[in-house]
Amino acid sequence: MTSELFAPVMASGPGWIERRDPEQSPNRQSGTVISITGSRAVVSSRLTPRMVVDELFWAVGNLISIYGHKSRIICLVQDMRVVNDAWQTDGDNIIHANVELLGEIVDDERGKPSFRRGISHYPPLGSLAHRIRRDDLIAIFDLGGRKGSVVGELTQDRDIDGAIDIDGMLRKHFAVVGTTGVGKSCAVSILLRAAVSERKSLRVIIVDPHNEYTHAFRDVAHTVDSRALELPFWLFRFEEILEVVYRGTRAPDEEVDFLRDAIVQAKEMYDSRGPSPMQQGSILKKTLRADGSAYTADAPQPYRINDILALIDEATGRLEVKFSRASLRALRARLESLSNDPSYRFMFGKAAIDGLYEPVIRTLFRLSEANRPITILQMAGIPSDVVNASVSVIARIAFELATQSRGLYEILLMCEEAHRYVPSDPTLGFAPTRRALARIAKEGRKYGCFLGIVTQRPSELDPTILSQCSSVFAMRLSNAADQEIIRAAIPDAATGVLDFLSALSNREVIAFGEAVSTPMRMLFHLTDQSKLPKMADDPDALRGLLVDPQLETAVPPPVAPPPVAAAPPPPP
């Protein structure tokens, strides 16, 4: 029914003052509740021939209000249909709108609206429905006493800011999901800029498989490519070393047994600084560190590959051989080839030789550089068969550093294409990487270690990891399986908003969870071209890496930062 039919009622109460703006159209749409359940209602309305397209009529996906006795019930329009079989061009058309009940707005004694989830006072049949007030729309997404960081604007009203709670987003981890080309990387850059601006102690590590984030963070980040990355092999646990040495294939049991014992012996040889590796005793001897604790193949204790090779030669030359000479020769060939391969320089470079933990931490986490709190690890130049093992090491170091800093530093590990590292199929992927990321997801928030997940296929991501992300930014998803995964992960009853996932435009997102007060459909801000992600082979992106945009001159290599207090080696 049109607004004229309700004018006497609407003008009778103070709650309708905003609705009687003399400049608003007389054709403004109104409706009546004709059916209601615990979570849904049906609203009937009449569209007159006088209504024109430019008027703000209801539409699928819009929020509307149902006026009750003590509150205004906020509803999401799910679908609309004409009651008659055909559209009447010369008369009124009766429509029915199915709406989902989201919560209610209650005005305080000063008339200020506040939103709360759930319905305490259901409207009776015959209650009026109208397009939502602007003040009510603002109240729905108000963060209350929490500090909001503006990252976009509401889809329904572009004049209203879309603000999120950065603390809530980080504290219990977050995920950004969406199909290719919808703007995930741009969304991540906006969110991370807001995060480092809000939390000065935060250090961000971006695992960048496509080398695209450097262009977006030139002013606040250090980029570490495969030539500059130093991740010494002795930081790798035994499982991770096997993954590197055998390139993901099954390692022969005999070679595994020898290598485990050889690594333990090589650590003792490195620690004791003996004049000759041959004087250090049998490889089968159980060795102890100076503090009385036993050496293990997993402890991040420096050792030399040359010592491993020497131990292989020693075992091969014995008369009584416990391990077959063919297995020992094969193992030696693998290790020698690996250490001489330029692609693996990041594991066998200067940091590996020096045996120092501090330079690795300084390069990866930039603890002393408040102006550049983001580190971008370009993984595209690293051999694909060792990326999983490398991510496992980085995740472990991040967690251990956060726990040992006792709250001095907070660390966010941002994983692009996360389904590569923690796939939904437990038989795929690399088990240590899965465990390292799961540990951050389950325990990290207690120590200030946070996880950010970015993926275009949430259905291929381990659901345990996704369920630990209490804030989700869902962009357009066309695949039905992906939509169902997000629907299962939503933490509240407002699942109807996810029906629009396949219809979202680029930059548009549905945010829900700890970062927002209620599921919010918004558009991320348009960002300056200089702060957008670009692929490394893009000429503009390459120029950004090599040339200062202000001076148009080549930028010299960055000066090494001053030494910082060394973090103790992580425990075994």
Side-chain angles (χ1 to χ4, degrees):
M1 287 174 276
T2 59
S3 58
E4 293 90 339
L5 297 178
F6 298 120
V9 179
M10 292 167 60
S12 63
W16 312 111
I17 294 175
E18 179 183 321
R19 289 322 209 166
R20 303 313 305 153
D21 183 347
E23 295 183 1
Q24 71 183 8
S25 169
N27 297 327
R28 183 173 53 85
Q29 184 180 2
S30 303
T32 306
V33 177
I34 61 171
S35 174
I36 190 167
T37 66
S39 60
R40 293 182 179 274
V42 178
V43 176
S44 177
S45 181
R46 174 181 292 138
L47 300 183
T48 70
R50 290 182 295 170
M51 292 184 172
V52 294
V53 176
D54 292 338
E55 295 297 336
L56 296 176
F57 299 147
W58 300 349
V60 171
N62 282 171
L63 294 177
I64 65 170
S65 300
I66 296 176
Y67 287 78
H69 178 61
K70 297 182 178 180
S71 63
R72 297 180 294 280
I73 310 303
I74 304 303
C75 309
L76 175 69
V77 180
Q78 292 291 107
D79 61 73
M80 304 176 72
R81 65 183 180 86
V82 180
V83 175
N84 297 325
D85 293 336
W87 182 263
Q88 304 296 322
T89 58
D90 55 352
D92 293 351
N93 286 278
I94 304 298
I95 66 168
H96 285 177
N98 291 308
V99 300
E100 180 182 15
L101 310 183
L102 303 181
E104 59 186 354
I105 293 283
V106 178
D107 294 332
D108 61 18
E109 60 277 4
R110 296 172 298 176
K112 181 180 179 181
S114 63
F115 176 76
R116 60 192 182 197
R117 301 306 304 270
I119 310 296
S120 59
H121 301 284
Y122 280 88
L125 294 180
S127 297
L128 301 184
H130 291 285
R131 187 177 177 86
I132 192 170
R133 299 181 183 183
R134 189 173 186 274
D135 287 348
D136 287 354
L137 194 58
I138 294 173
I140 291 172
F141 303 108
D142 181 46
L143 293 171
R146 297 185 291 169
K147 184 176 181 180
S149 297
V150 178
V151 295
E153 58 269 350
L154 297 188
T155 299
Q156 185 162 340
D157 189 336
R158 302 290 181 85
D159 293 329
I160 299 178
D161 290 333
I164 62 170
D165 175 19
I166 293 296
D167 181 66
M169 180 186 79
L170 293 176
R171 189 172 59 246
K172 295 185 179 179
H173 320 302
F174 68 99
V176 180
V177 301
T179 192
T180 301
V182 299
K184 290 192 306 298
S185 299
C186 297
V188 169
S189 66
I190 292 172
L191 294 173
L192 292 187
R193 280 188 175 273
V196 297
S197 174
E198 180 69 25
R199 301 173 78 108
K200 301 303 181 183
S201 63
L202 183 67
R203 297 295 180 268
V204 181
I205 308 294
I206 303 177
V207 180
D208 185 1
H210 304 302
N211 298 357
E212 61 180 331
Y213 281 102
T214 296
H215 187 268
F217 295 109
R218 285 183 298 171
D219 57 329
V220 293
H222 283 279
T223 295
V224 181
D225 62 13
S226 58
R227 295 168 298 178
L229 178 63
E230 292 279 1
L231 204 60
F233 65 89
W234 46 264
L235 282 177
F236 287 59
R237 287 185 172 175
F238 187 63
E239 279 182 288
E240 296 159 351
I241 280 292
L242 291 181
E243 177 78 3
V244 173
V245 173
Y246 294 95
R247 317 291 174 90
T249 61
R250 187 180 183 279
D253 292 341
E254 196 171 31
E255 294 182 31
V256 171
D257 292 341
F258 181 91
L259 184 59
R260 180 185 291 107
D261 292 339
I263 289 175
V264 172
Q265 182 70 6
K267 290 179 179 180
E268 183 202 15
M269 294 159 60
Y270 184 95
D271 214 19
S272 61
R273 303 290 184 179
S276 169
M278 302 304 178
Q279 298 177 6
Q280 301 306 315
S282 168
I283 192 172
L284 303 178
K285 174 184 174 183
K286 182 176 181 178
T287 57
L288 296 177
R289 302 176 65 172
D291 60 4
S293 60
Y295 288 92
T296 69
D298 286 332
Q301 175 72 19
Y303 62 96
R304 307 284 193 203
I305 286 293
N306 286 340
D307 290 340
I308 301 288
L309 299 178
L311 289 168
I312 293 175
D313 292 340
E314 178 192 3
T316 305
R318 291 176 183 164
L319 293 177
E320 296 183 2
V321 181
K322 178 180 177 181
F323 303 95
S324 72
R325 289 185 173 87
S327 295
L328 294 176
R329 292 192 188 100
L331 177 59
R332 192 186 201 287
R334 289 179 185 275
L335 294 176
E336 205 167 28
S337 172
L338 193 68
S339 60
N340 292 330
D341 189 336
S343 300
Y344 294 84
R345 177 190 169 280
F346 72 99
M347 293 180 60
F348 301 96
K350 185 176 184 299
I353 297 172
D354 293 343
L356 299 178
Y357 192 65
E358 178 187 346
V360 178
I361 296 299
R362 187 167 58 229
T363 300
L364 290 178
F365 298 96
R366 307 287 175 178
L367 299 182
S368 62
E369 298 185 50
N371 293 331
R372 291 181 178 268
I374 299 176
T375 302
I376 301 168
L377 302 181
Q378 293 188 342
M379 309 300 286
I382 295 176
S384 59
D385 46 14
V386 298
V387 167
N388 277 340
S390 301
V391 172
S392 176
V393 175
I394 293 166
R396 282 194 297 102
I397 294 176
F399 183 86
E400 290 159 356
L401 183 60
T403 58
Q404 293 174 16
S405 71
R406 302 182 183 275
L408 183 60
Y409 295 104
E410 297 174 315
I411 297 173
L412 168 62
L413 180 63
M414 200 78 206
C415 290
E416 261 279 3
E417 301 288 0
H419 57 273
R420 295 183 178 184
Y421 313 121
V422 279
S424 57
D425 186 346
T427 63
L428 301 177
F430 184 45
T433 308
R434 184 188 300 272
R435 288 196 298 269
L437 294 178
R439 188 183 186 192
I440 295 177
K442 294 176 181 178
E443 306 175 38
R445 58 179 174 268
K446 294 184 288 188
Y447 306 104
C449 188
F450 312 123
L451 184 64
I453 295 296
V454 185
T455 180
Q456 61 186 1
R457 292 305 308 271
S459 61
E460 296 181 4
L461 181 70
D462 185 346
T464 303
I465 298 294
L466 186 60
S467 67
Q468 295 292 329
C469 296
S470 295
S471 296
V472 177
F473 298 88
M475 307 184 81
R476 185 168 68 246
L477 288 169
S478 302
N479 185 278
D482 293 333
Q483 294 178 20
E484 286 304 314
I485 289 294
I486 298 302
R487 194 181 305 279
I490 195 167
D492 50 44
T495 57
V497 70
L498 295 182
D499 291 342
F500 307 102
L501 276 178
S502 61
L504 297 179
S505 63
N506 289 352
R507 294 195 297 120
E508 194 173 11
V509 64
I510 298 173
F512 57 88
E514 294 286 331
V516 293
S517 58
T518 191
M520 176 172 61
R521 184 174 175 179
M522 69 172 185
L523 280 164
F524 280 111
H525 281 319
L526 283 172
T527 306
D528 186 87
Q529 287 289 335
S530 64
K531 296 180 181 179
L532 291 179
K534 288 186 179 181
M535 299 295 288
D537 58 356
D538 188 313
D540 292 334
L542 185 61
R543 179 180 178 277
L545 290 175
L546 301 178
V547 178
D548 187 316
Q550 300 296 326
L551 303 177
E552 296 294 332
T553 57
V555 178
V559 178
V564 296

